[in-house]
Amino acid sequence: MKIQNLVTALLCTAVLSTTVVVAAPQVEAAHPVREQLTDNKAKVSDTTKGHFQSVTFIDANGVTGTGTVIAKNKVVTSYNVVEGLKNSENLAKTFVTPGKDGENAPFGSFQVESVSFEESWKNMAVLTLQANDNGQNIGEVVSVVPVTKNPSILVCTEVTMPGYDADKKGEMWESQATISYNVASNFWFNQANKTGNYGGPIFDRSGNLIGIRLFEKYSKGVQTSAAKFTERNYDFISENLK
């Protein structure tokens, strides 16, 4: 394990030392670092602070996942989390809870009104939410996370991924991982996605949203996948923010 980690570190050092950082849009010739998955994560102590308050627990009629508040009444998540909502009868049983911490919901919950699906790659969905009983939209209660087209994604850099693993019983945990592979539509990292954290946001070291976790694996089952805010995905989101 130590030898493998040392090789990985040397490979990443070589990649980073030869990488030229350019303005977005950026599609790199990725270096497919092979390493074992990490389970490096910690419980978020205060889900009301920073971008944690904008990370949402999604209960889609019993299917749980994670999302991110991206507009006053919009949340982005992965396609698979809410695919069951194509049956409109399930909408009334689907709620989004920002900053959920176990049994505590500091900002309340919001019912899903409708869902738009990105059908080309089937990797993203945008939820439209109803206002709460006080007439407030979710983006008026918590902060909105900006979505940027083609954010810079560099192999071997670290990312953080807050979300709601199903086995954590509604607690928000934040994962730390390393980007291991990058292509035009997706990138991969060295931590396994799990039921509950699909759809969760991926932030770079500066706190910028650069992708969301997907229900996909690298072809050899080593790294797991994220959807990028490519031009197609960005246009899909922008269209649903109108």
Side-chain angles (χ1 to χ4, degrees), residues 35 41 57 63 77 131 169 198 228:
E35 57 183 319
K41 62 180 64 177
F57 176 86
V63 177
T77 187
K169 302 184 184 303
Y198 298 126
K228 298 167 66 170

Side-chain angles (χ1 to χ4, degrees), residues 61-172:
N61 191 27
V63 177
T64 64
T66 304
T68 309
V69 180
I70 58 170
K72 74 173 186 177
N73 65 340
K74 306 286 184 178
V75 165
V76 65
T77 187
S78 67
Y79 189 104
N80 71 292
V81 170
V82 292
E83 189 171 8
L85 300 186
K86 289 185 175 182
N87 178 351
S88 59
E89 294 180 359
N90 293 330
L91 288 172
K93 305 172 185 177
T94 300
F95 292 86
V96 171
T97 306
K100 180 177 170 65
D101 185 14
E103 296 298 320
N104 184 30
F107 305 106
S109 295
F110 297 79
Q111 186 174 335
V112 174
E113 182 176 279
S114 62
V115 186
S116 297
F117 295 92
E118 200 293 305
E119 295 289 1
S120 297
W121 289 333
K122 299 184 183 298
N123 58 12
M124 289 188 181
V126 172
L127 312 181
T128 300
L129 309 181
Q130 297 179 9
N132 62 19
D133 291 340
N134 296 321
Q136 298 170 301
N137 289 300
I138 192 169
E140 297 168 330
V141 176
V142 300
S143 58
V144 171
V145 176
V147 177
T148 304
K149 181 165 62 176
N150 289 322
S152 178
I153 295 172
L154 298 175
V155 173
C156 290
T157 56
E158 296 177 352
V159 293
T160 58
M161 304 179 293
Y164 290 98
D165 295 13
D167 61 350
K168 302 302 183 184
K169 302 184 184 303
E171 295 178 345
M172 187 188 300

Side-chain angles (χ1 to χ4, degrees), residues 68 158-162 179 187 189 193 199-204 207-214 224-227 229:
T68 309
E158 296 177 352
V159 293
T160 58
M161 304 179 293
I179 296 174
F187 64 93
F189 46 87
N193 293 331
I202 302 174
F203 296 102
D204 66 15
N208 301 307
L209 180 65
I210 63 171
I212 64 171
R213 302 178 81 160
L214 293 182
T224 50
S225 178
F229 296 112

Side-chain angles (χ1 to χ4, degrees), residues 12-31:
C12 279
T13 300
V15 170
L16 293 176
S17 66
T18 58
T19 298
V20 177
V21 179
V22 299
Q26 176 182 0
V27 177
E28 301 170 24
H31 186 96

